[in-house]
Amino acid sequence: LTTIPQYVYAQQTIINVPSSDVLPYGEVILKQSNKFRPFGDGKYVSLTPQIIVGTGKGTEISVEAGTSIEDTTSVKMNITAKKVFKIKKSARFTVGGVINPSLTEGQKPDSMIYAHGSYLCKKTKTTITAGGFVGGKQEMPSLTGVMLGIDQTIIPNKLRIAVDWMSRDESWGALGAGLKIRPEPTTSITTAVIIPNADENRLAFSVSISKYVGKVLPEPVRKEKENNGDNL
């Protein structure tokens, strides 16, 4: 009998904002995210496969390759890392960084550094997240902003409502709202509406599927200190 641990139910993002959930060492999640705007002058489709790996001691990394299909096709990598500190059973503090190098355009990568705190109200099953970030478009981070998020459980381990928001008019600045559905313990489906802050942009839609793969990396070999007789 295989027991699926509680952290399988974790989500690595609220909608767009990184969450305070983190995978244990060696655990892997595979994710496919799709964003699209089917109407208006700004029609586009974005397809982004992603792998998330727990690296131990409250840290994880993820790598994704996003292909955006508009008038032209562009491909960007998205490399992220985060560290989660458990303050209490219901509170966490998270710091992380993101870098977005382009694979099709000769330009410097976008980047962002963030930090936020999260609190779980066990009585209402509501997680509230608030923090800030420093970002940069094709330069070192220099633009500051805020990030907020609410994750509300409706049916435990089956259905949640999530809303998050990031300030500024750059590409990351948007309001996201959607549903997180878990048809079975190791699979999660998130559907959301994305409303950019910039006036010239129009709303888009997002659908992502996450699959918990399990423990892939072996436990690191711990070198035991040799007893040379000094303690005798």
Side-chain angles (χ1 to χ4, degrees):
L1 179 65
T2 300
T3 301
I4 298 173
Q6 183 64 31
Y7 56 73
V8 171
Y9 304 110
Q11 296 284 340
Q12 307 321 107
T13 58
I14 302 171
I15 296 294
N16 295 311
V17 172
S19 75
S20 60
D21 293 328
V22 64
L23 288 173
Y25 175 83
E27 307 290 339
V28 172
I29 288 177
L30 299 180
K31 183 177 180 179
Q32 174 65 44
S33 299
N34 307 303
K35 292 183 180 180
F36 55 94
R37 184 183 298 134
F39 38 72
D41 298 333
K43 294 181 181 179
Y44 78 91
V45 175
S46 177
L47 309 174
T48 308
Q50 180 183 15
I51 180 170
I52 306 162
V53 182
T55 49
K57 296 183 179 180
T59 66
E60 71 178 26
I61 60 172
S62 70
V63 179
E64 61 184 62
T67 301
S68 181
I69 305 171
E70 302 179 65
D71 295 333
T72 59
T73 299
S74 63
V75 181
K76 277 191 173 185
M77 294 289 292
N78 190 345
I79 304 169
T80 70
K82 70 178 177 182
K83 167 73 173 177
V84 178
F85 301 89
K86 295 182 180 180
I87 302 172
K88 295 181 179 179
K89 288 185 177 180
S90 299
R92 295 183 178 186
F93 180 73
T94 304
V95 294
V98 184
I99 187 168
N100 301 101
S102 175
L103 301 183
T104 55
E105 301 174 15
Q107 60 185 26
K108 295 180 180 180
D110 302 339
S111 57
M112 181 175 70
I113 301 170
Y114 68 88
H116 62 56
S118 299
Y119 178 77
L120 170 63
C121 179
K122 294 183 178 180
K123 185 174 182 180
T124 62
K125 296 182 175 63
T126 305
T127 300
I128 299 173
T129 299
F133 65 87
V134 180
K137 295 289 289 183
Q138 303 174 27
E139 61 182 355
M140 293 299 292
S142 59
L143 308 171
T144 61
V146 300
M147 51 175 59
L148 304 170
I150 298 177
D151 196 325
Q152 176 65 57
T153 296
I154 304 300
I155 303 175
N157 300 325
K158 288 294 183 181
L159 178 64
R160 292 194 284 177
I161 295 174
V163 179
D164 64 16
W165 177 72
M166 293 182 68
S167 65
R168 303 200 63 88
D169 292 340
E170 285 73 24
S171 58
W172 55 72
L175 171 71
L179 297 175
K180 295 181 178 182
I181 304 165
R182 190 170 296 281
E184 55 96 18
T186 62
T187 303
S188 176
I189 301 171
T190 300
T191 61
V193 177
I194 309 298
I195 306 174
N197 296 333
D199 293 337
E200 65 270 17
N201 292 323
R202 299 179 178 86
L203 64 84
F205 302 94
S206 173
V207 178
S208 66
I209 300 175
S210 299
K211 179 67 177 179
Y212 171 75
V213 176
K215 191 173 183 63
V216 174
L217 300 179
E219 288 291 340
V221 177
R222 292 181 173 85
K223 193 182 261 187
E224 295 185 5
K225 185 177 180 180
E226 294 183 1
N227 188 342
N228 57 11
D230 292 343
N231 297 326
L232 296 180

